Amino acid sequence: MSSAQHSVTVMGLGPMGRAMAAALLDRGYAVTVWNRTASRADDLVARGAALAPNPADAVAANEVVILSLTDYAAVRAVLEPAAPALGGRVLLNLTSATPEEARAGAHWAAGYGAVQLTGGVNSPPSGIGQPESSTFYSGPREVFDRHRAVLEALTGRAEHHGEDPGRAALLYQLGVGMFWTAMLGYWQAVALARANGLTAADFLPHADDTANSLPQFFAFYADRIDAGVHVGDVDRLAMGMASVEHVLQTNADAGVDTALPAAVVDLFRRGMEAGHGADSFSALVELLAKPGK
Ligand SMILES: NC(=O)c1ccc[n+]([C@@H]2O[C@H](COP(=O)([O-])OP(=O)(O)OC[C@H]3O[C@@H](n4cnc5c(N)ncnc54)[C@H](OP(=O)(O)O)[C@@H]3O)[C@@H](O)[C@H]2O)c1
């Protein structure tokens, strides 16, 4: 490990930034931290981290600066006053962003002589420092390779996905979009279970079975979707339409909020109106991709 890699700054000490700083301390890195609310650094300072008094000093302390903030507006708010210190810095920006924001952020940093490696962390804070956890990165390959030891200290798997700084943000948003939607489906089911006298724990085995069945559907439909084939040989949208209406009605009968199941019914109805009733429900991909057509 080079000395450059052995010393790192972490800016943003929410649950994620704190886990990252702790994982780096565990591995013997010299860590400088900065956070708007300084008290969040107390535990890290007790473990040997240096607390920078302001963002400019935090940036000046190390070549590698990890950014773990709520969004890119926060990144800008933090870095703009520190801009003169950015020359020669590598910004590991692990802050959630749209691909466009990530590209604009990289461009902005380049204007001050800094390089951004965009990261999308596929793990909750509890997975930081774990070998099986992964992060998508995009940006200069040379920077990724040079700082690989730091990246692998954060999550055991560090994946480089090309030079476009927006690509890691895109991959992250793909996964996180599925995550939020799936978890909302789970909350809805728990609410319905509860309205019918079942606890979340009662429902858990069935919820697990349902979730564990999904990868086989992804695998089955992926090749067909890429080939533009939505043949209704194993399922028909019309069948799905009846099913999602039963889900909606079951929620309504139980007095549970129907916003989410009603939105699902609406999408299926639009597929029916577009003439896909005899096709597989995978035809909804075409509707989602080109909503006006
Ligand atoms: N937590 C997760 O499970 C998870 C998983 C994957 C990815 N991520 C991503 O990782 C990033 C950090 O996550 P987190 O859970 O630690 O986020 P968080 O709870 O939102 O905290 C992020 C940090 O941003 C700082 N901040 C927000 N607005 C600011 C501003 N205007 N100026 C200065 N500082 C500001 C907060 O400072 P204060 O302490 O002063 O409020 C805090 O240190 C996010 O982009 C998140 O989407 C999180």
Side-chain angles (χ1 to χ4, degrees):
M1 192 182 293
S2 77
S3 59
Q5 289 171 322
H6 213 77
S7 174
V8 176
T9 289
V10 179
M11 300 181 78
L13 299 176
M16 189 54 98
R18 287 202 303 277
M20 290 176 172
L24 292 165
L25 287 169
D26 287 346
R27 283 158 184 76
Y29 283 80
V31 180
T32 296
V33 294
W34 177 86
N35 194 54
R36 178 179 61 180
T37 309
S39 59
R40 286 199 223 285
D42 288 352
D43 288 353
L44 296 164
V45 170
R47 292 193 50 202
L51 177 62
N54 56 59
D57 283 10
V59 168
N62 290 297
E63 180 193 1
V64 176
V65 177
I66 294 173
L67 299 163
S68 180
L69 296 149
T70 304
D71 53 30
Y72 269 45
V75 170
R76 242 352 138 78
V78 168
L79 287 188
E80 256 163 12
L86 283 173
R89 294 295 173 257
V90 169
L91 305 179
L92 296 185
N93 200 339
L94 305 174
T95 302
S96 177
T98 68
E100 281 306 317
E101 287 174 325
R103 290 182 192 114
H107 182 75
W108 179 85
Y112 290 97
V115 174
Q116 172 171 296
L117 204 54
T118 310
V121 183
N122 301 311
S123 165
S126 58
I128 297 305
Q130 303 300 316
E132 66 279 4
S133 300
S134 72
T135 303
F136 299 133
Y137 291 98
S138 65
R141 174 87 213 193
E142 172 273 320
V143 173
F144 173 85
D145 287 338
R146 188 151 47 92
H147 296 288
R148 196 165 195 134
V150 177
L151 308 183
E152 289 179 351
L154 299 177
T155 60
R157 287 162 47 213
E159 300 178 12
H160 187 255
H161 287 274
E163 305 276 318
D164 170 10
R167 176 54 68 125
L170 171 67
L171 294 171
Y172 177 72
Q173 298 308 337
L174 289 175
V176 92
M178 282 183 66
F179 173 80
W180 293 126
T181 311
M183 288 304 293
L184 201 50
Y186 174 57
W187 301 151
Q188 181 79 38
V190 169
L192 178 57
R194 205 158 72 180
N196 286 277
L198 297 172
T199 64
D202 293 333
F203 172 50
L204 188 57
H206 183 30
D208 281 350
D209 285 346
T210 304
N212 290 335
S213 74
L214 292 180
Q216 63 186 294
F217 289 97
F218 302 158
F220 176 77
Y221 287 107
D223 288 344
R224 288 181 167 214
I225 290 168
D226 286 347
V229 172
H230 300 292
V231 58
D233 55 351
V234 296
D235 76 275
R236 289 180 314 119
L237 185 69
M239 173 278 289
M241 179 80 215
S243 174
V244 295
E245 282 181 329
H246 298 153
V247 174
L248 173 60
Q249 192 59 47
T250 305
N251 279 275
D253 290 348
V256 171
D257 191 286
T258 56
L260 182 62
V264 174
V265 165
D266 182 56
L267 277 170
F268 274 67
R269 182 175 296 123
R270 283 164 51 195
M272 295 291 287
E273 288 168 2
H276 293 299
D279 296 336
S280 165
F281 81 134
S282 65
L284 293 180
V285 170
E286 310 303 337
L287 198 81
L288 293 167
K290 291 184 180 151
K293 306 242 163 116

